Amino acid sequence: MAANDTTPQRAADAARLTACSLCAGETLAGADPLPGGQRARLDRLASRSTIRMTYVECLDECERGDVVVARPSRAQRARGVGPVWFETLAGDTLTCELEQWLTAGGPGVTPVPERLAQIVIDRTGEPTVATEGPHSAHHHDDEKENAMGETTKIDPVCGMTVDPATAAATAEYDGTTYYFCATGCQNAFQSDPSKFV
Ligand code: FES
């Protein structure tokens, strides 16, 4: 399992980006004029101190290609802001727009730019915007209640809501059990738990 944080210096409340290392570059493939293709663009984003980049092997949206997830900062997550998933995010224009959006605050802070909005993956049921004020959130930022009043968990790697009863994987860290949508997220977490909590 290859999950590595290539960010040189952690920004305390930096925007967080999770990218699939397996389908990076699929969209443009051989037509990409950049040496190294989309992975090189992602690596450039990873070099920014304002972005915390995590690569995982598969985000379980494999039919789409170039899947990346913009995860809210810890502060935004505490407000109930959810992750924003993108497909076919490739090329200079979209990658630059992603970088500018994340640098401007990303999820919960700045609206998704129009061109990026066109490649958002509709994950119905996943919150993408805060509906409560910063002082009204009453839940732990890794927990939510679903419509039935049952407690669900937030996958700390991709931000997906996970039902503990059907979670693909779990991990213990610092006395807390974390739940994951896929083993790829579990592996990324276990490579450096402190990066996600
Ligand atoms: S291979 Fe990229 S999401 Fe599965």
Side-chain angles (χ1 to χ4, degrees):
M1 173 62 211
N4 55 329
D5 182 356
T6 54
T7 303
Q9 180 181 353
R10 278 185 182 175
D13 199 29
R16 302 162 188 215
L17 191 64
T18 301
C20 175
S21 62
L22 293 185
C23 61
E26 276 187 358
T27 304
L28 297 178
D32 195 327
L34 181 69
Q38 186 60 22
R39 178 61 188 251
R41 296 186 186 90
L42 293 175
D43 288 345
R44 188 191 67 210
L45 294 185
S47 71
R48 307 295 195 237
S49 62
T50 51
I51 298 174
R52 293 174 62 168
M53 168 72 87
T54 301
Y55 288 112
V56 300
E57 291 183 353
C58 194
L59 284 160
D60 286 344
E61 292 283 358
C62 314
E63 74 283 3
R64 300 175 185 275
D66 286 288
V67 177
V68 300
V69 184
R71 296 156 49 222
S73 67
R74 189 181 183 88
Q76 293 304 315
R77 199 173 67 176
R79 295 181 59 230
V81 174
V84 182
W85 289 58
F86 298 99
E87 61 181 330
T88 63
L89 199 152
D92 290 333
T93 300
L94 290 174
T95 306
C96 285
E97 291 208 3
L98 177 66
E99 179 178 0
Q100 290 169 2
W101 177 56
L102 292 175
T103 302
V109 177
T110 307
V112 179
E114 186 176 342
R115 267 184 287 206
L116 291 181
Q118 294 172 6
I119 58 169
V120 166
I121 300 174
D122 179 12
R123 296 176 66 88
T124 303
E126 291 297 310
T128 56
V129 294
T131 55
E132 297 178 321
H135 304 299
S136 61
H138 59 274
H139 54 73
H140 186 281
D141 63 1
D142 288 326
E143 294 184 350
K144 291 180 182 298
E145 285 189 358
N146 62 19
M148 301 297 290
E150 301 161 330
T151 299
T152 57
K153 304 291 184 180
I154 301 299
D155 182 323
V157 175
C158 69
M160 188 173 169
T161 301
V162 178
D163 182 341
T166 58
T170 64
E172 301 289 331
Y173 177 69
D174 202 21
T176 299
T177 302
Y178 293 89
Y179 298 84
F180 304 95
C181 68
T183 55
C185 289
Q186 178 200 38
N187 290 333
F189 180 85
Q190 289 181 317
S191 69
D192 185 2
S194 64
K195 188 171 63 178
F196 301 100
V197 300

